[in-house]
Amino acid sequence: MAGAAAAERRVIRVLLVEDEEIHRFLARALLRDAGGVELSEAWNGAEAVRRVREGGAYDLILTDRQMPVMDGHEATRQIRALGVTTPIVGLSSDSLAADADAFIKAGADHFTPKPLSKEKLDNILAKFNLA
């Protein structure tokens, strides 16, 4: 039965929008350990918007706040303006209530402070019925 359950588990398509290599490395490891994840990466918000605009379909978008070219808030606003309803989770090393509020006002569904951990990722996946 365990094999059948694993075979039935669908692939979760995740777009990680992050400019810092250490945070990408950590997220890659956590998502790989979660299993069943197809990961795409964008180095900044503009690249993320381009990927979504060009037809990238994702089950979850994890985005940093502060990045070169376009930050996570603006990327979230532009992705929402495209009519995309995919869950977007804002990530930031700044964990003040104002940081979370700014992401939510931009259109994100959730916010979690960095660093990403197994527990935080598990909570995110469960919150959006992806686990």
Side-chain angles (χ1 to χ4, degrees), residues 47-63:
E47 184 180 348
V49 172
R50 179 186 56 77
R51 286 172 180 258
V52 171
R53 186 179 290 126
E54 291 175 355
Y58 304 100
D59 300 303
L60 178 65
I61 299 172
L62 301 171
T63 183

Side-chain angles (χ1 to χ4, degrees), residues 116-131:
L116 194 59
S117 66
K118 181 182 182 330
E119 181 181 355
K120 289 176 185 176
L121 179 61
D122 289 347
N123 289 339
I124 291 166
L125 295 176
K127 178 178 179 76
F128 299 108
N129 297 314
L130 299 171

Side-chain angles (χ1 to χ4, degrees), residues 17-60:
V17 189
E18 173 63 65
D19 63 319
E20 297 278 342
E21 179 57 35
I22 187 67
H23 293 295
R24 283 196 315 275
F25 178 83
L26 177 59
R28 273 187 223 119
L30 291 168
L31 289 162
R32 181 182 58 243
D33 289 349
V37 173
E38 180 181 298
L39 180 63
S40 297
E41 297 180 33
W43 289 66
N44 62 62
E47 184 180 348
V49 172
R50 179 186 56 77
R51 286 172 180 258
V52 171
R53 186 179 290 126
E54 291 175 355
Y58 304 100
D59 300 303
L60 178 65

